[in-house]
Amino acid sequence: MARPIQFTLHADSLSPDELHAVLVDETYLRDRLAELGGSSAELVALTSDDNGSRAVFRHGISSGGLPAAMRSIAPNGISVERTETWRREGAGYVGTMAARVTDTPATIDATTSIRPVGGGAELRGAGQVTVRLPLVGGMVEKAVSEQVTALLDAESRFTLEYVARRRSG
């Protein structure tokens, strides 16, 4: 059984085009990974064309940074491969976020959108964490969904702070 996740970022001072431009900017992505990506974080690929954009990341999390439920299946830590895609749709953008936890039966999948709201933009995402493990899968899903939600919240804060820093200096 999958556990749902949801996330929202309100960027009152940015248009959808401006928010999208930040989210696919290589400098922003590298800075975000440096601050929040964990051990061995790296931007593996970044492509963009008329059809949209695609970014692939690798995050590393040591076993000490994992919830107890995950340490039993990943005593040496984990590596997470994450892909984000975006394409224009109407006045905004739609996308996907997919992550696979290497060497575990854990996956995270979400759909995302950037829409105009008031005088700014809103990024919304909804998805699910799935861990295919007999007996303990639900417990691990809960732990992973809490970690993913905390990371996405931290990324939202980082994004708003990044934009504010760039505008002020």
Side-chain angles (χ1 to χ4, degrees), residues 16 23 25 29-30 35 48-49 51 53-55 71 77 91 97 100-101 112 117 119 123 133 139 144 160:
L23 295 175
D25 177 75
L29 293 171
R30 290 188 187 284
E35 186 162 322
S48 183
D49 60 27
N51 296 318
S53 65
R54 179 177 180 266
R71 282 185 225 133
M97 189 270 294
R100 307 290 175 257
V101 182
T112 54
V117 174
L123 164 65
L133 282 175
M139 179 176 57
V144 170
L160 295 174

Side-chain angles (χ1 to χ4, degrees), residues 15-26 28 93 114:
S15 70
D17 288 340
E18 290 169 325
L19 178 57
H20 173 260
V22 169
L23 295 175
V24 299
D25 177 75
E26 184 172 355
Y28 160 81
Y93 297 84
I114 300 171

Side-chain angles (χ1 to χ4, degrees), residues 33-53:
L33 279 170
E35 186 162 322
L36 302 171
S39 63
S40 66
E42 110 181 80
L43 178 60
V44 176
L46 178 61
T47 58
S48 183
D49 60 27
D50 292 341
N51 296 318
S53 65

Side-chain angles (χ1 to χ4, degrees), residues 107-132:
T107 60
I108 302 120
D109 294 289
T111 57
T112 54
S113 66
I114 300 171
R115 298 283 178 230
V117 174
E122 180 180 75
L123 164 65
R124 283 189 167 273
Q128 62 186 16
V129 173
T130 305
V131 179
R132 288 177 173 75

